[in-house]
Amino acid sequence: MDNQPLKTRLGWRHNELLLLLLAGIIFLALVINDSQGSLASPLVILRLALSLFLATFASGYTVQAALFPQRKALRLVERIALSFGISVSILPLLGVILSLLPWKITLWPIIIGLGSIMVVAAVVALHRRSGLPESDQASFTLSLNWWGWWHRQHRTNRLFYFLLVLMLGCIITVVVAILLIPKTGTLLTEFYLLGSENVAETYPNDGIVGQPMAVVLGIMNREGVPAQYSVIIRHDAETLQPLGPLDLGNNERFEKSISFTMQNVGDHQRVEFILEREGYASPYRVLQLWVNVRPAS
């Protein structure tokens, strides 16, 4: 029986970095497509898997490849461990930088920041490798002679690798459970008001009697099923304006600028925005806005 290890290269020779960048492009396409739906749908699972892979391994792998382009600089196990370590270090550092910038820690700044790090590091790694003889260039090579490799390990190393595999197994089990087990407590409908600049402030707190006051009303259906809504704007016992019925599919959003008119002068008057859902007798959500109404000059 041939005891020589069978080696398989992932992708083109010495170009596993291009495969990592391709994974990033696929993830970017899924985000732009905004693949939504059930948490167990294939596209959503693929997007989550790619995001974990890119954030916890690929970003660090490109950086270590740029730092150590020579094959003999690190062993494969050391490269993998260093890739995870660098990735874990990049994320909080990127978060601190984004928190100081106007864009803050949101989805697209994180994607752009992490993607920029990967692209720059991959370009540097490929450039540094190109200056080395092909036999000295680092590449991702897997040895499939696991049985011989295992017997060559010290008892302490075996325990370490066993615990590592056990931990990864627990993490994968938890992730699969989160994706596949339905959690009805997390299903909800977002019901919100935005001010004149489409932000959660600058609400119309002061108005003039008989003149319209405008807000942006938003509804986001995250119930997991289609739902029908209607909205009533009420002051005291008077209905100022009804809206609906509105049929929203799962993960579908409705936003619209609406106006209402106050007929009584006075300070600190309460305006209620009541969301009703088909099949529910009582109000499903209620928002309140307090306004001061002055007489017309």
Side-chain angles (χ1 to χ4, degrees), residues 20-254:
L20 298 183
L21 295 179
L22 178 61
I25 293 174
I26 295 174
F27 170 73
L28 185 61
L30 291 174
V31 173
I32 293 176
N33 186 56
D34 196 19
S35 309
Q36 296 183 0
S38 170
L39 286 176
S41 66
L43 288 180
V44 174
I45 292 178
L46 177 61
R47 187 173 65 177
L48 289 173
L50 284 176
S51 65
L52 289 173
F53 172 73
L54 294 171
T56 61
F57 177 79
S59 56
Y61 186 88
T62 56
V63 173
Q64 67 81 23
L67 294 175
F68 306 101
Q70 291 183 317
R71 178 190 299 273
K72 296 181 179 179
L74 294 172
R75 294 180 300 170
L76 176 60
V77 174
E78 294 171 337
R79 290 188 183 276
I80 294 176
L82 188 59
S83 299
F84 281 111
I86 294 177
S87 298
V88 172
S89 302
I90 287 175
L91 290 177
L93 180 60
L94 181 62
V96 171
I97 294 174
L98 290 178
S99 66
L100 301 176
L101 297 176
W103 308 288
K104 302 301 181 182
I105 306 176
T106 53
L107 176 63
W108 279 108
I110 293 176
I111 292 177
I112 294 173
L114 207 58
S116 301
I117 293 173
M118 286 186 59
V119 171
V120 171
V123 170
V124 172
L126 291 173
H127 175 71
R128 296 191 67 188
R129 287 181 182 181
S130 65
L132 298 172
E134 186 174 356
S135 59
D136 290 340
Q137 295 178 13
S139 62
F140 198 100
T141 305
L142 285 178
S143 174
L144 301 183
N145 188 15
W146 297 108
W147 187 251
W149 172 83
W150 179 257
H151 278 278
R152 290 194 299 270
Q153 300 303 310
H154 189 269
R155 181 179 300 178
T156 304
N157 290 345
R158 292 183 186 179
L159 178 61
F160 170 77
Y161 290 127
F162 174 77
L163 294 177
L164 179 62
V165 171
L166 182 62
M167 181 181 67
L168 291 176
C170 291
I171 293 175
I172 293 173
T173 302
V174 171
V175 171
V176 171
I178 291 175
L179 293 177
L180 300 182
I181 298 177
K183 296 168 283 298
T184 56
T186 62
L187 303 179
L188 52 86
T189 295
E190 297 179 15
F191 184 45
Y192 57 90
L193 296 177
L194 301 176
S196 57
E197 300 177 359
N198 280 354
V199 294
E201 52 187 44
T202 65
Y203 298 114
N205 300 118
D206 297 288
I208 299 176
V209 66
Q211 294 188 7
M213 305 174 68
V215 295
V216 176
L217 186 142
I219 305 171
M220 179 69 177
N221 178 11
R222 298 189 186 276
E223 302 286 347
V225 294
Q228 185 179 90
Y229 302 97
S230 59
V231 180
I232 298 175
I233 304 176
R234 180 175 297 167
H235 170 54
D236 291 336
E238 178 186 2
T239 299
L240 304 181
Q241 179 179 332
L243 181 66
L246 305 170
D247 293 309
L248 300 181
N250 183 43
N251 286 324
E252 185 177 355
R253 184 187 303 273
F254 169 86

Side-chain angles (χ1 to χ4, degrees), residues 253-268:
R253 184 187 303 273
F254 169 86
E255 273 191 2
K256 183 179 180 180
S257 177
I258 60 174
S259 60
F260 57 94
T261 304
M262 302 292 291
Q263 301 298 332
N264 300 320
V265 176
D267 293 336
H268 208 55

